[in-house]
Amino acid sequence: MRNIVHRHLGKMVAGTAIAVAGTAAMVAVTLPGTAGADDNGTRAGQSAPQAAGAAGAAGAGEAAAGGRAVAPGVVEAAPAEGQRGEGRDPLTDDELERAEKIALSRQLFRSSESVDGDRGPQPLGVDLAEPEADEAGRPDAPRRADVTFYDYRDDTLVTRTVDLGTGKVVATGTQRGVQPPLSRAEKAEAAGLLIADPLGSGLKADFQDATGKALTSPDQLQLSGAVYRAAPGAQPAVLDECGEHRCVRLFPKIKNGPWVDARQLVIDLSARKVARLDR
C-alpha cells in the first residue's frame, strides 16, 4: 500500500473525473478559484496602481457626463427567508429542520443505529416530496418533505414523508440494498476507520511526507467518496456483502496539498472493516 499510494502523491486533479471501476460512480473535483487572492480581494500579481488607474477612468467618466457624479452600484440584500415556502419553492431552513425532527420519532430513534454506533439512524437528507397526481399544478397543494435515514442496525434505508402543514408523518417506507449518496458524516467515519487500520499506513505515510505532520484525524483531509457495490470476482470475500452493507471508496485530498490515490481500499461501514481490492 505504501508504494502504491506514494506513486500517486503530488498528482493534482482539477476539473477532471475519476472513473471508478465496478461502482459506476464518478467524482468531479473542482479546485477553489480563489487561490492566490490576498486579504484585499486582489489576486496575486495585480498591483495597486491598476486600481488607481481604474479610479482615474471612473473620474473621466464622471467628467464626460457633464460633471455629474455617477452613483455607485448597489447590491441589494437577499430577501429574508420565511419560515414556510409556498407551492414548489425549495424547502426553507426552518422546514428542513422541522421535517427531520418530526420524522425522527422516539420509536425510530430507540430502535436504530447511526454510522458511529450511537443510538438513532444516520440522517442522509431532506427533499421536497413530489405532489400526488391529483395535486399537480394546484397552488394550495400540501407541502411535504421526504426525510431519509440509514439504519446501520440492520442496513435499512428509511424514508419518512412529513406533511409540513399538519406536522405529521404521512408515510414510511423501508428498503434494503438501496444505497443513496454518502453523507459527510459517513465519509468522515470511513476515513477514521481507514486511518486506524493497518491498511491506512500508506495514506498516513504520504501525509507525513507532504506535511511533516502525523495524520490522526479525518479533519486533516478533504474527503470525497462513492458507494462501492460488490461485483462477482472483483473483491476479496470480506467485501462480498457491499451493496447490502454500506461500503465506501474514499478519494482523500491533503488540505492545501495533493490528492492521494486510495481507490484500491474499500471501507465497509456496516461491518467496520477495511479491505484492499484484488484488482
Side-chain angles (χ1 to χ4, degrees):
M1 169 63 192
R2 173 71 176 90
N3 293 331
I4 292 171
V5 173
H6 192 65
R7 285 201 304 268
H8 296 273
L9 183 62
K11 292 184 179 179
M12 303 297 294
V13 181
T16 61
I18 303 174
V20 182
T23 65
M26 184 169 291
V27 178
V29 179
T30 304
L31 297 180
T34 56
D38 62 20
D39 292 338
N40 297 320
T42 59
R43 298 188 64 80
Q46 292 184 346
S47 58
Q50 291 178 315
E62 291 177 7
R68 292 175 299 174
V70 178
V74 177
V75 178
E76 294 185 3
E81 182 181 68
Q83 290 186 334
R84 298 185 180 184
E86 297 181 0
R88 301 299 297 164
D89 288 346
L91 295 168
T92 65
D93 290 343
D94 181 74
E95 287 176 321
L96 291 169
E97 185 177 352
R98 278 200 313 125
E100 187 169 320
K101 286 182 178 179
I102 295 168
L104 186 56
S105 65
R106 183 175 301 178
Q107 179 181 0
L108 177 60
F109 179 79
R110 288 178 174 176
S111 64
S112 56
E113 186 176 304
S114 66
V115 66
D116 56 4
D118 286 345
R119 181 179 292 186
Q122 183 62 45
L124 296 185
V126 183
D127 299 291
L128 185 66
E130 292 295 326
E132 302 292 338
D134 60 348
E135 297 172 346
R138 280 175 44 193
D140 61 341
R143 278 173 68 81
R144 304 184 188 92
D146 287 332
V147 186
T148 52
F149 302 97
Y150 196 86
D151 183 0
Y152 277 87
R153 181 183 58 82
D154 58 1
D155 284 297
T156 301
L157 179 69
V158 180
T159 303
R160 310 199 83 185
T161 302
V162 174
D163 187 316
L164 294 168
T166 64
K168 296 181 179 180
V169 175
V170 295
T172 299
T174 58
Q175 298 168 284
R176 293 182 61 86
V178 177
Q179 298 293 342
L182 299 155
S183 66
R184 182 180 300 180
E186 288 173 308
K187 286 181 280 190
E189 186 69 17
L193 291 172
L194 178 57
I195 292 170
D197 192 272
L199 287 175
S201 60
L203 173 62
K204 291 189 288 186
D206 283 331
F207 186 91
Q208 179 78 38
D209 289 347
T211 66
K213 300 177 182 179
L215 176 60
T216 59
S217 168
D219 294 337
Q220 295 169 272
L221 300 168
Q222 293 177 2
L223 298 170
S224 297
V227 170
Y228 175 82
R229 292 178 176 274
Q235 65 279 314
V238 69
L239 296 176
D240 282 346
E241 292 187 84
C242 288
E244 291 295 327
H245 284 186
R246 192 105 161 120
C247 298
V248 185
R249 254 179 169 174
L250 284 178
F251 311 111
K253 182 182 183 297
I254 298 172
K255 289 186 176 180
N256 300 316
W259 295 85
V260 180
D261 190 349
R263 288 173 294 172
Q264 284 189 288
L265 301 175
V266 175
I267 303 96
D268 184 334
L269 288 171
S270 301
R272 303 186 68 79
K273 294 180 180 179
V274 181
R276 180 161 40 214
L277 297 175
D278 295 332
R279 61 177 79 177

